[in-house]
Amino acid sequence: MAEFMTETEQRSPAVPRPGAAGERRGRTGGAGALAEHPGQPTGRHPDGRLEAQEAAALLERTRALVDPELRTALESLPGSLRRIALYHFGWQRADGSPATGNAGKAIRPALVLAAADALGGPAARTAAVRAAVAVELVHNFTLLHDDVMDRDTSRRHRPTAWTVFGDADAILAGDALQALALRLLAEDPHPAARRAAARLAKCVVELCAGQHTDTDMEGRAPDEVTLDEALAMAEAKTGALLGCACALGALYAGAGAEEVAALDGFGRQAGLAFQLIDDVIGIWGDPRRTGKPAGADLAARKKSLPVVAALSSGTEAAAELAELYGKPFVSGDAEAVARTALAVERAGGRDWAQAEAADRMARAVQELSRAVPGPEAAGGLLALAEFVTRRSG
């Protein structure tokens, strides 16, 4: 797991070494092919339609590969924990009867499989299914805990687990998912499994540190949080697991240390782009698509990246936003949410977040070019990265 990057490293993306990966693996194409047009759409059509189609197909295939093993793993949990976990994934109702709910997009396990395929082909992708399941379990462990800490009442268009089963049961179910993820890797006979387990465990520590920083920031005054601090927190909370997912895929493909590090870097930068867009959606997203109330992050006074950028702008709107954020939110005050969202936008928070997301995607492509020689092999990873940064809800 890569350590937190310094601000200089964040602002100075690595320059690809032309042809290096292709020379090692004997493939056609130069390593710089992916980074010829940083900041531009990565695929075959300028509006991203082909990437969206490819990503949707990848995610569908991932669910087909991952869900059977994921269900088997969840069924191994003791009865009460199993019921909570299956409810959280949308496969059971609160009363334990079967359901056909939404288990999530499966972006992280898809990254595991796409990275394994990019560096090792179909055989590596098949071998990495258990690692993909482990990453999905860890992701959902964080969701269960985050919902309790943030007091979110809705996820995937249904009540969150803690609202149905209580705080303690939701937390314990999350703990069980994390342990289950590490057990899957510990029992995996694949030669990369031990290193994958260690990397995933280290990632969990980073996730917890990022969440701790996020929680600490929520208790501080609006002018006490810097943009660099918020970006570092977002990398730990979101970028770390996407980077770990890509790194695990590389490990299962038998990749060397440099390629694993490059895939981790790709995932981290794409993860920051993902978080930036997610924060935009958290303020301006359509509740019919997000499954959450409009402006939920603003109502909770979360110091998301667009908010921190707006507060740091030194504008009149920033002063207005600081005043609004300094007051407790009155439940149900839709007008206050709308006024706060407008202040964030007027202070430049929305524009900054969208521009920064594009910049992070350019850096992600440069990192990917260090490990994967050309668009053909990297197509799946590029499509997934493009997909997560083109979301609107």
Side-chain angles (χ1 to χ4, degrees), residues 311-339:
L311 288 167
S312 305
S313 67
T315 61
E316 290 184 10
E320 178 188 355
L321 178 61
E323 183 179 353
L324 289 166
Y325 252 56
K327 299 176 182 177
F329 176 71
V330 178
S331 180
D333 191 348
E335 183 181 345
V337 169
R339 191 164 61 250

Side-chain angles (χ1 to χ4, degrees), residues 1 106-117 119 128 131-136 138-139 196 199-200 203 207 238-253 260 263-268 381 384:
M1 177 64 63
I107 290 167
R108 291 154 188 83
L111 287 170
V112 176
L113 301 184
D117 193 24
L119 292 174
V133 172
V135 168
E136 183 72 341
V138 164
H139 173 54
R199 197 173 192 106
L200 187 58
C203 178
L207 291 171
T238 304
L241 188 55
L242 270 71
C244 185
C246 296
L248 262 57
L251 285 172
Y252 271 71
V260 172
L263 264 292
D264 181 90
F266 164 76
R268 282 175 178 268
L381 289 167
L384 289 169

Side-chain angles (χ1 to χ4, degrees), residues 69-70 72-74 76 129-135 137 177-189 193 197 252:
E69 183 122 10
L70 180 58
T72 298
L74 295 177
S76 73
V129 168
R130 186 172 291 191
V133 172
V135 168
L137 287 167
L177 294 189
Q178 181 196 167
L180 192 55
L182 294 175
R183 193 193 83 191
L184 284 179
L185 293 177
E187 294 176 351
D188 190 352
Y252 271 71

